[in-house]
Amino acid sequence: YFTTEKRCCGTNLDAKTWQVVCVKCPTGGCSAATKACPPGPKQYTLATSGSTECPNGFQIIQTQDECEGEVFAAKQYGATATDSTKTFGTRTWGGAGWGTDQPCGCTKHTFDAIYFTTEKRCCGTNLDAKTWQVVCVKCPTGGCSAATKACPPGPKQYTLATSGSTECPNGFQIIQTQDECEGEVFAAKQYGATATDSTKTFGTRTWGGAGWGTDQPCGCTKHTFDAIYFTTEKR
């Protein structure tokens, strides 16, 4: 027999009476599926109220298409018995989220509306992960393929070693590339940095360039004249 996906692998599946016939994969590897039954419906759940991290085995939803087209369709009240999780209900599709109080990605408001928010606007200083719960999808077999936390990492924090010491303070490490020293440290720490600057422990006046003196520590350094340099190990 030959059976199409639409009719096969139902709830009364009997793979003993009906054995799958397989063909050897071509040289170079298999070019088709190796399982005769298509994957079951995706499973969705909510992060714990107040948390922006998905439960173990779940990951964030990466696209608005899935958030709207699959999550909302699957979880609205009256969903059929084929709905695989039934852990929450929804009332309406809220649209593309715009608030800085929302976690990133697919979220459910306490009013049961589903939204999708991008990184540029989400996880702000007024984040409210109780009003906006993160919606998560079960990770594929083999492990999660996307982030499990809805808020991206915050800005890097920079500080200076104690004057006279070449060792970073506890919890800090040296900067390994000139790109970071110039492109991030100098840009973040020059005088007039905005309030979003996360450390504000020192200021800089200018980018000095690639360091050349044997009197300089290796890596990213700040001269007493407030210029930032980057020196390689060879010098």
Side-chain angles (χ1 to χ4, degrees), residues 47 50-54 59-61 99-107 117-130 132-136 146-155:
S51 172
T52 60
E53 185 169 4
C54 289
Q59 64 188 30
I60 64 168
I61 292 161
T100 55
D101 59 337
Q102 297 174 239
C104 301
C106 195
T107 57
T117 314
T118 63
E119 278 194 24
K120 291 180 180 177
R121 306 172 96 177
C122 49
C123 294
T125 53
N126 58 337
L127 175 67
D128 181 358
K130 291 184 177 179
W132 302 92
Q133 273 188 279
V134 177
V135 183
C136 308
T148 58
K149 296 180 180 180
C151 286

Side-chain angles (χ1 to χ4, degrees), residues 84-101:
S84 60
T85 41
K86 281 197 173 294
T87 54
F88 61 96
T90 69
R91 181 179 56 81
T92 187
W93 166 246
W98 49 268
T100 55
D101 59 337

Side-chain angles (χ1 to χ4, degrees), residues 47-204:
T48 303
S49 177
S51 172
T52 60
E53 185 169 4
C54 289
N56 188 39
F58 284 78
Q59 64 188 30
I60 64 168
I61 292 161
Q62 302 179 77
T63 67
Q64 183 172 324
D65 285 345
E66 180 174 0
C67 184
E68 179 180 4
E70 298 184 42
V71 177
F72 176 64
K75 306 306 290 182
Q76 57 188 316
Y77 289 126
T80 67
T82 57
D83 174 13
S84 60
T85 41
K86 281 197 173 294
T87 54
F88 61 96
T90 69
R91 181 179 56 81
T92 187
W93 166 246
W98 49 268
T100 55
D101 59 337
Q102 297 174 239
C104 301
C106 195
T107 57
K108 183 181 88 77
H109 191 268
T110 48
F111 292 156
D112 285 344
I114 295 286
Y115 292 82
F116 187 83
T117 314
T118 63
E119 278 194 24
K120 291 180 180 177
R121 306 172 96 177
C122 49
C123 294
T125 53
N126 58 337
L127 175 67
D128 181 358
K130 291 184 177 179
T131 299
W132 302 92
Q133 273 188 279
V134 177
V135 183
C136 308
V137 61
K138 191 166 181 63
C139 296
T141 303
C144 296
S145 57
T148 58
K149 296 180 180 180
C151 286
K156 290 181 179 177
Q157 296 185 15
Y158 300 102
T159 194
L160 297 176
T162 303
S163 179
S165 171
T166 60
E167 185 172 359
C168 288
N170 187 39
F172 285 78
Q173 63 187 26
I174 64 167
I175 291 161
Q176 301 179 72
T177 68
Q178 182 172 326
D179 284 346
E180 181 173 0
C181 184
E182 179 179 4
E184 298 185 41
V185 178
F186 176 64
K189 306 308 284 181
Q190 57 188 312
Y191 290 126
T194 68
T196 57
D197 175 12
S198 61
T199 41
K200 280 196 173 296
T201 55
F202 61 96
T204 69

